Amino acid sequence: MGGTTEGSERTILILHNAFIVTMDPASRVFTDGAIVVAGDRIEAVGPSAQIIRDFSHLAAAESLVDLRSQFLLPGFVNTHVHTSQQLGRGIADDVDLMTWLHQRIWPYESNMTEKDSYLSTLLCGIELIRSGVTCFAEAGGQHVSGMARAVEELGLRACLTQSIMDTGDGLPGNWSSCSADYCIQSQKELYDKHHNTADGRIRVWFGLRQIMNATNELLLKTRDAAEELKTGIHMHVAEIPYENQLVMSTRKIDHGTVTYLEKIDLLRSNLLAAHSVWLNDAEIGFFSKANVKVSHCPASAMRMLGFARIKEMLEAGICVSLGTDGAPSNNRMSIVDEMYLASLINKGREAFMRGTTNPTAIPSETVLKMVTVNGAKSVLWDNEIGSLEVGKKADMIVVNPFSWTMVPLHDCISSLVYCMRTENIHSVMCNGQWIMKDHKILRVNEEEVISLAMDASVDLLKRAGISLPKRMNYL
Ligand SMILES: [Zn+2]
């Protein structure tokens, strides 16, 4: 029976001698633990001695992997990333928001081909995998079919979303004529084509870029279409004060975007609200009551938006997860860096807001929960991912802490949040398959992707007519 379970052809893999942080409801940690992977799922979790005794006869010798006391964790979930923007890394650094959007990002995105989206997603996916991400929520990009092809090849899990706008000042010509009906129809077609493909690793969501680029008709039709197909909606929400001011003046409401979305019954448990920086107390209450999920992107918020009220949201019971945002607004697509920043920025905000320090704000346990359990809830996939539990999908990462970045080890959870670097991510498994092993990306040729992506980015910038000031221009 070596390598398969009795009566089935599922491959059995046993990872043992690991320090396992399960993130299960009891927050169990096994200091010398093992996990049995059968096919794409977790068959057993427990102390190494017990697992070896009960399961080793089912596994081939080469399927018994000694992790030599390394950490085994659930794969991280990045809940807000623009995979299509990876080729635009560095095109909009240190510019104001309107220049960022109108002169750099929209020309860039509106000139992308499906092949560009494919290469951009491959390049971004490599960085995601290297930071321990096994699942991500696309924030809204140009060519979902290009993204889907890349995700399938990389071996990742993803909720893919098209960037959707049907109104707005300064939109590129080829975008400005999309009606609400066309936006909904094109997304339904993408849903039919890609939802639940790649062995169930790909899901398709509805997108709303932001309220300033959505008519009322589009908002309501998106709400209803997502309900009908039982899928999620990914939207940028309350990013800047100007957005709230515009909503107040044009939609006749006494506060901003969230108040308006509550009024039209768009706040529901399938809404993933990215950023959500400018909310008042009542709006935090609306999110909590409706079980809206929030993707907090610390680096991007610091650069472009401001301090999100994360501590208050968590205290109100809101599910907050972490995202990197896109390469032109963060540059680093590392969820490991976001974990570190999330804790520090929100501790710093406490001192700034209250005039007194509070190092206990957003502790490491909370941050680790944000990128695992809360991430899974945010992408509506927590019945299958987010923790290492029997029956869940085998999405997990091996962290090697035995390097200058992490030793000595005392408190394992705080070490993972405050010390771990991307380089400590040793191996990554998604859906029972290794997609990175011993730091090597397995399913795509990393060097080839880098080379093709660099060429494609130069061509794209030329087509888009984006020219950076000479001192900034590398090529
Ligand atoms: Zn975004």
Side-chain angles (χ1 to χ4, degrees):
M1 280 310 297
T4 59
T5 52
E6 288 175 51
S8 84
E9 294 304 313
R10 293 181 307 162
T11 304
I12 285 276
L13 182 68
I14 300 177
L15 308 172
H16 68 103
N17 192 16
F19 191 108
I20 302 178
V21 182
T22 65
M23 302 306 291
D24 69 8
S27 302
R28 287 189 303 167
V29 167
F30 296 96
T31 53
D32 181 0
I35 284 192
V36 180
V37 177
D40 60 2
R41 291 189 188 269
I42 296 169
E43 179 106 348
V45 185
S48 283
Q50 181 194 324
I51 295 286
I52 294 288
R53 187 188 67 220
D54 294 347
F55 289 90
S56 62
H57 66 288
L58 297 173
E62 68 275 13
S63 299
L64 225 91
V65 181
D66 183 349
L67 289 181
R68 298 168 287 112
S69 300
Q70 295 176 105
F71 286 108
L72 197 51
L73 296 159
F76 299 143
V77 184
N78 182 338
T79 59
H80 187 75
V81 54
H82 295 258
T83 59
S84 292
Q85 291 181 353
Q86 196 78 0
L87 300 185
R89 170 148 61 193
I91 65 168
D93 295 337
D94 304 324
V95 297
D96 65 82
L97 193 58
M98 285 303 139
T99 305
W100 188 92
L101 198 61
H102 290 243
Q103 290 175 32
R104 307 285 168 80
I105 301 306
W106 283 354
Y108 164 91
E109 289 190 341
S110 62
N111 279 282
M112 287 196 98
T113 63
E114 185 173 318
K115 191 179 176 199
D116 290 331
S117 274
Y118 165 67
L119 289 172
S120 191
T121 306
L122 282 180
L123 187 64
C124 184
I126 287 169
E127 193 169 359
L128 296 179
I129 294 169
R130 289 201 169 281
S131 77
V133 166
T134 51
C135 179
F136 70 88
E138 163 65 45
Q142 301 316 300
H143 300 280
V144 169
S145 294
M147 295 174 204
R149 186 176 149 211
V151 169
E152 175 152 23
E153 289 177 18
L154 288 157
L156 281 165
R157 185 183 302 286
C159 299
L160 299 181
T161 306
Q162 195 175 17
S163 175
I164 292 296
M165 302 186 249
D166 72 337
T167 187
D169 291 335
L171 286 182
N174 54 337
W175 281 356
S176 52
S177 56
C178 293
S179 68
D181 280 332
Y182 176 84
C183 290
I184 298 296
Q185 189 53 35
S186 74
Q187 292 178 95
K188 282 187 170 174
E189 284 166 17
L190 290 169
Y191 181 93
D192 289 342
K193 192 171 168 196
H194 297 294
H195 189 77
N196 213 19
T197 58
D199 301 320
R201 287 184 283 110
I202 294 177
R203 290 181 176 177
V204 175
W205 281 34
F206 283 84
L208 287 166
R209 189 70 178 235
Q210 51 147 310
I211 198 161
M212 293 187 284
N213 296 116
T215 60
N216 227 24
E217 183 188 0
L218 179 62
L219 293 172
L220 297 177
K221 286 186 168 167
T222 301
R223 178 196 70 188
D224 295 343
E227 197 74 39
E228 177 195 328
L229 296 178
K230 303 210 177 321
T231 192
I233 301 171
H234 197 145
M235 179 180 185
H236 295 83
V237 173
E239 294 183 278
I240 50 174
Y242 174 71
E243 174 188 328
N244 280 342
Q245 287 154 13
L246 197 74
V247 170
M248 285 165 71
S249 65
T250 58
R251 310 210 187 211
K252 311 290 175 232
I253 197 97
D254 62 0
H255 199 256
T257 303
V258 174
T259 300
Y260 188 72
L261 295 180
E262 200 270 341
K263 186 185 164 202
I264 62 168
D265 191 23
L266 203 136
L267 300 185
R268 297 183 183 187
S269 61
N270 67 340
L271 176 64
L272 176 53
H275 303 304
S276 303
V277 175
W278 298 92
L279 272 62
N280 65 15
D281 289 345
E283 292 174 322
I284 287 177
F286 294 152
F287 266 19
S288 173
K289 190 165 162 236
N291 195 17
V292 170
K293 318 299 191 299
V294 169
S295 178
H296 173 43
C297 305
S300 166
M302 281 303 92
R303 183 191 283 194
M304 318 278 283
L305 312 176
F307 291 103
R309 302 177 68 194
I310 299 306
K311 184 167 175 287
E312 292 88 331
M313 290 192 206
L314 289 167
E315 284 169 356
I318 296 170
C319 173
V320 181
S321 53
L322 293 184
T324 51
D325 212 352
S329 46
N330 180 345
N331 302 56
R332 304 177 184 207
M333 296 293 97
S334 166
I335 203 73
V336 171
D337 291 353
E338 300 298 319
M339 288 162 70
Y340 183 63
L341 286 173
S343 186
L344 294 191
I345 286 171
N346 287 290
K347 290 181 201 308
R349 175 177 171 265
E350 284 287 292
F352 176 70
M353 297 292 293
R354 304 184 201 292
T356 179
T357 59
N358 182 7
T360 67
I362 319 292
S364 49
E365 291 92 337
T366 303
V367 175
L368 200 56
K369 210 174 150 193
M370 285 174 159
V371 292
T372 54
V373 183
N374 287 10
K377 283 182 185 163
S378 297
V379 296
L380 310 175
W381 222 322
D382 52 307
N383 63 330
E384 294 201 301
I385 62 171
S387 58
L388 300 178
E389 293 179 73
V390 172
K392 282 200 169 181
K393 293 282 190 181
D395 287 13
M396 57 184 96
I397 61 173
V398 178
V399 175
N400 178 4
F402 305 112
S403 70
W404 61 269
T405 54
M406 288 183 76
V407 293
L409 291 158
H410 297 297
D411 177 332
C412 66
I413 304 295
S414 74
S415 287
L416 288 166
V417 173
Y418 297 126
C419 307
M420 180 171 67
R421 315 281 178 100
T422 292
E423 301 92 300
N424 292 106
I425 310 290
H426 181 270
S427 298
V428 177
M429 175 183 284
C430 183
N431 220 32
Q433 304 284 321
W434 293 113
I435 56 175
M436 183 172 87
K437 192 103 188 282
D438 300 339
H439 300 282
K440 183 170 172 51
I441 299 286
L442 293 181
R443 300 188 30 153
V444 298
N445 183 323
E446 184 170 352
E447 287 70 29
E448 193 180 30
V449 170
I450 289 170
S451 166
L452 291 171
M454 282 181 71
D455 290 347
S457 73
V458 173
D459 289 348
L460 175 52
L461 256 63
K462 266 191 208 148
R463 268 201 319 280
I466 299 170
S467 56
L468 302 182
K470 268 242 168 319
R471 64 170 183 86
M472 293 161 72
N473 217 331
Y474 176 73
L475 293 169

